[in-house]
């Protein structure tokens, strides 16, 4: 009964490089959410995906950030040309499906991105 | 804009003291309220949730929360804390699209 798996746990990048964060949801879950936790702030919603579809990306920065959740394989959060301000902990959560309520989300342990 | 406000950034208590963490939310629509806990080095876990019904909600590990509609509040309580309750606590409101609005979190340190 593996929970939500995120990797890597820690990721160090230099400014201008690309960062790829992976999230494998709980087996059988088809909904994935990405959140970002900046230092001294709460978790901020970024994007909500179902298999092969982006449902809500209202929290995603307009540039350099993208997310996907393919039919097979993990969900990927991709950050191009990283800047120091991207340094944060990125959390992924999954749920079985949505009935219009966010009932129970299962969270991963997060990926700590550090941009040098 | 929807928001969740947690009153305390850091709370320090001795074991056996009573705990109350304040939370206020601004969204006036459907109520989906949660308290999550993050123990050091671990992922977020759900403590309790409220959608409707009895405004006094019992959660895991002896925690409870009271929903007061007139005050837009959802405070977390525990009568007697333990050292193992040291963690960060997040008050969360669920939006209609599945997004979650998090408070900034309250760090609880319990001295043995």
């Amino acid at each position: 009964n593996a929970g939500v798996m995120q990797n890597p746990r820690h990721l160090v990048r230099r400014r201008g490089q690309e960062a790829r964060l992976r999230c494998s949801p709980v087996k059988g879950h088809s909904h994935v959410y990405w959140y970002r936790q900046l230092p001294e702030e709460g978790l901020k919603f970024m994007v909500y995906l179902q298999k092969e579809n982006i449902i809500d990306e209202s929290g995603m920065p307009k540039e350099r950030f993208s997310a996907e959740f393919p039919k097979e394989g993990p969900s990927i959060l991709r950050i191009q040309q990283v800047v120091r301000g991207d340094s944060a902990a990125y959390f992924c959560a999954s749920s079985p499906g949505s009935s219009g309520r966010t009932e129970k989300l299962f969270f991963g342990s997060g990926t700590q991105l550090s941009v040098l | 804009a929807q928001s969740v406000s947690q009153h305390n950034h850091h709370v320090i208590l001795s074991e056996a003291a009573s705990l109350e963490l304040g939370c206020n939310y601004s969204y006036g629509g459907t109520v989906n309220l949660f308290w999550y806990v993050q123990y050091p080095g671990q992922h977020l876990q759900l403590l309790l949730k409220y959608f409707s019904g009895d405004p006094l909600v019992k959660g895991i590990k002896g925690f409870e929360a009271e929903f007061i509609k007139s005050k837009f509040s959802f405070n977390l309580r525990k009568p007697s804390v333990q050292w193992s309750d040291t963690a960060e606590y997040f008050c969360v409101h669920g939006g209609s699209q599945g997004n979650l609005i998090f408070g900034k979190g309250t760090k609880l340190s319990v001295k043995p």
Side-chain angles (χ1 to χ4, degrees):
Chain A
N1 289 328
V4 176
M5 303 301 292
Q6 287 188 250
N7 66 81
R9 189 69 190 269
H10 300 277
L11 182 60
V12 179
R13 285 288 177 267
R14 296 190 182 280
R15 282 180 296 171
Q17 291 184 320
E18 179 180 283
R20 279 181 179 245
L21 287 63
R22 292 175 182 76
C23 170
S24 296
V26 173
K27 188 177 180 181
H29 285 191
S30 58
H31 295 240
V32 164
Y33 306 77
W34 283 95
Y35 296 83
R36 175 165 63 174
Q37 183 174 356
L38 293 167
E40 307 303 319
E41 294 188 21
L43 283 172
K44 302 285 187 187
F45 168 76
M46 297 182 75
V47 62
Y48 165 35
L49 309 109
Q50 295 177 19
K51 285 283 186 182
E52 299 184 280
N53 287 307
I54 296 174
I55 305 303
D56 180 356
E57 57 181 347
S58 59
M60 287 278 270
K62 298 291 182 222
E63 296 176 348
R64 302 188 296 107
F65 284 71
S66 62
E68 62 178 13
F69 187 19
K71 188 176 179 181
E72 301 290 339
S75 175
I76 306 287
L77 179 68
R78 183 180 177 211
I79 310 172
Q80 294 178 292
Q81 299 175 327
V82 296
V83 301
R84 288 222 172 101
D86 297 332
S87 295
Y90 292 82
F91 287 85
C92 171
S94 74
S95 70
S98 176
S99 61
R101 290 179 180 274
T102 28
E103 187 154 7
K104 183 160 184 169
L105 295 186
F106 293 78
F107 281 85
S109 297
T111 293
Q112 181 65 49
L113 173 64
S114 299
V115 180
L116 305 179
Chain B
Q2 300 172 24
S3 67
V4 173
S5 173
Q6 290 185 239
H7 307 160
N8 308 98
H9 182 63
H10 192 184
V11 172
I12 302 172
L13 294 173
S14 297
E15 275 194 317
S18 64
L19 170 72
E20 180 158 3
L21 301 182
C23 171
N24 288 94
Y25 65 99
S26 67
Y27 181 56
T30 302
V31 171
N32 296 331
L33 289 163
F34 311 80
W35 275 96
Y36 281 86
V37 60
Q38 186 173 14
Y39 297 102
Q42 297 186 27
H43 58 268
L44 286 172
Q45 299 173 41
L46 180 66
L47 268 182
L48 48 79
K49 61 184 184 240
Y50 176 79
F51 293 154
S52 63
D54 188 343
L56 187 61
V57 182
K58 302 283 186 189
I60 60 171
K61 305 188 182 188
F63 286 91
E64 64 179 31
E66 184 175 12
F67 169 64
I68 304 179
K69 186 176 180 180
S70 60
K71 296 184 179 180
F72 291 92
S73 70
F74 191 55
N75 293 355
L76 181 71
R77 299 197 290 250
K78 185 170 183 178
S80 175
V81 295
Q82 301 172 314
W83 177 78
S84 58
D85 293 324
T86 294
E88 188 152 17
Y89 293 81
F90 293 90
C91 181
V92 181
H93 189 279
S96 58
Q97 283 295 321
N99 58 313
L100 296 177
I101 300 118
F102 278 75
K104 290 189 176 182
T106 298
K107 285 191 173 108
L108 172 65
S109 299
V110 179
K111 297 183 292 184

